[in-house]
Amino acid sequence: MLGKGLFAAVLVATVISACGGPAVVQRPPADAGHDPIVVDSGPEEPIDAGSDVDAGPADVGTTEDAGEADAGFDAGTVEDAGSDPPDAGPPKICDPGVARCNSGQRVRCAADGTAEIADDSPVTETFQLPTSSRADVLIATTKRPIEGYDALAANVVDKLAARNVDYRIGVMVAHDDSRTPTLVSAPNQQRIVSPGPGAATAVAANLRAAVDQAESGNTGPLLERTKQALNSAVGTELLRAGARLSVLTLQRQGMDELSPGSVPSYAAFLDGFRPPDMAAFHGVGCGDTGRMLGLSLLTGGIFADCPSDPDATADAIAAWTAQPQQSFTLQDKPVTGSVAASVDGTAAPSTVEQKRVDLDEPPTGTTVVVTYQIDCSNP
């Protein structure tokens, strides 16, 4: 992966040791005429041709009589007869302009949405990058983390601000019981800290409150509680779509070993929240922290074991967190070799893996356009 590869040379799998730095037609109306009126006059009586009786002129009645006779008949009107509703035409079966694979063939929905038509022309997807990097940070701690843990966290915040990062930072503690993880805040502080005056101080205060909470009882498996937090209201409250995710774990010796899952399972879990290269675990501890080292390596994060230079550690974590988006997920799998990417109209090299396109750290505020043909042979 191009983006990840370049960054790897600087930060991925960075280990900091005690020795120093980073090692979306009407129908006509129905016939309103009436059925003929049939008057039943009863059975005919035979005419006696031999009769001399003059029956006299027949009484044919008068206009008034006729009117009275018909007065009870309601002939109705055209409105009474009603009319058929207008013909709405063929129903819509798809979203106009949308392309997809159908039985191995690429089709595009017609402009009126009533039919899908074979269409093998390329599709284009556009990604607008924000004017500043966006990152969500979850700091998870146990009791008795490394010395100077609060100063380290505050330093990370200052370095994110210096890089103009639009961040959100929350703090949690790994309890040893089954209570649902929540974000911890100090008195008069917000649970989620965003850029602004006093942000570094607020994060440090929240972290100290979390450690104090941990000290009042036993702490539990750090990685497992962090996973539960991201899957709960903590994740809903803290995480934003499209933002990078940094999980900074502060632990004492052996605490991460209490988590029941394997290191690859926690790395795979994190990948479910963000595309690769958009999320990482960063571990800072001292002593038996081998599993955290492995997790940092698998997710491309930063690991520091008993760091003698906390400033270098903070800078490395902030640098990873501040990276602009470089992985873009397409709606469909592209045909191999059909992808063309550009940044603000300038062609940009890319690498492709399944539906993901990676670029070499396009600048914030730019527009990334990816054109490709949908692979319907093996979607």
Side-chain angles (χ1 to χ4, degrees):
M1 182 184 311
L2 189 149
K4 181 174 181 178
L6 289 181
F7 189 69
V10 180
L11 298 175
V12 170
T14 301
V15 178
I16 301 174
S17 68
C19 295
V24 137
V25 187
Q26 185 174 349
R27 296 180 183 175
D31 186 1
H34 310 294
D35 292 334
I37 300 173
V38 179
V39 178
D40 185 359
S41 59
E44 294 184 7
E45 295 188 8
I47 298 175
D48 185 355
S51 174
D52 295 329
V53 179
D54 185 359
D59 183 2
V60 296
T62 65
T63 301
E64 292 175 344
D65 294 334
E68 293 174 358
D70 292 337
F73 176 73
D74 183 5
T77 62
V78 173
E79 288 82 2
D80 293 336
S83 60
D84 291 339
D87 190 348
K92 290 187 177 182
I93 63 172
C94 54
D95 294 327
V98 174
R100 72 182 185 93
C101 291
N102 186 6
S103 300
Q105 181 182 27
R106 186 176 174 277
V107 296
R108 187 184 295 274
C109 184
D112 59 4
T114 62
E116 289 188 320
I117 306 166
D119 184 353
D120 204 25
S121 58
V123 296
T124 298
E125 294 190 35
T126 302
F127 305 88
Q128 181 62 54
L129 274 64
T131 54
S132 62
S133 295
R134 300 168 73 234
D136 299 329
V137 181
L138 177 62
I139 304 176
T141 186
T142 62
K143 62 173 64 176
R144 298 189 297 277
I146 65 167
E147 184 177 353
Y149 65 91
D150 50 349
L152 173 67
N155 199 6
V156 170
V157 177
D158 284 337
K159 291 179 181 295
L160 289 176
R163 290 173 166 85
N164 193 33
V165 177
D166 174 13
Y167 60 79
R168 285 163 59 87
I169 303 176
V171 175
M172 61 160 285
V173 60
H175 292 290
D176 68 338
D177 51 30
S178 60
R179 78 184 80 175
T180 302
T182 59
L183 294 178
V184 178
S185 63
N188 302 319
Q189 300 294 347
Q190 298 292 322
R191 289 195 307 275
I192 296 178
V193 178
S194 300
T201 299
V203 169
N206 288 350
L207 187 51
R208 285 192 295 270
V211 172
D212 288 345
Q213 198 177 106
E215 295 289 355
S216 64
N218 293 322
T219 50
L222 184 60
L223 298 182
E224 188 65 22
R225 293 293 180 260
T226 301
K227 175 181 176 180
Q228 291 172 357
L230 291 173
N231 269 334
S232 70
V234 168
T236 303
E237 183 179 10
L238 177 65
L239 306 184
R240 297 167 295 175
R244 291 176 72 79
L245 173 58
S246 274
V247 179
L248 171 57
T249 57
L250 304 173
Q251 77 276 18
R252 65 183 177 87
Q253 180 175 350
M255 284 305 302
D256 65 302
E257 297 298 340
L258 299 175
S259 297
S262 66
V263 168
S265 71
Y266 290 115
F269 164 76
L270 197 64
D271 284 344
F273 279 88
R274 294 289 185 272
D277 297 333
M278 287 286 288
F281 276 101
H282 311 294
V284 180
C286 195
D288 185 11
T289 53
R291 296 183 78 215
M292 184 53 66
L293 169 60
L295 188 54
S296 297
L297 288 170
L298 279 180
T299 60
I302 308 302
F303 176 79
D305 181 29
C306 302
S308 61
D309 188 352
D311 185 70
T313 300
D315 193 65
I317 294 172
W320 187 97
T321 305
Q323 289 182 86
Q325 180 178 355
Q326 55 189 356
S327 293
F328 303 87
T329 302
L330 305 177
Q331 294 182 3
D332 299 279
K333 180 183 175 182
V335 172
T336 301
S338 70
V339 174
S342 66
V343 178
D344 277 354
T346 301
S350 63
T351 57
V352 183
E353 183 177 341
Q354 295 295 321
K355 295 181 180 181
R356 194 182 78 244
V357 176
D358 298 319
L359 303 182
D360 184 13
E361 297 186 22
T364 56
T366 57
T367 301
V368 174
V369 177
V370 181
T371 302
Y372 64 98
Q373 288 185 312
I374 298 177
D375 184 358
C376 290
S377 62
N378 185 26

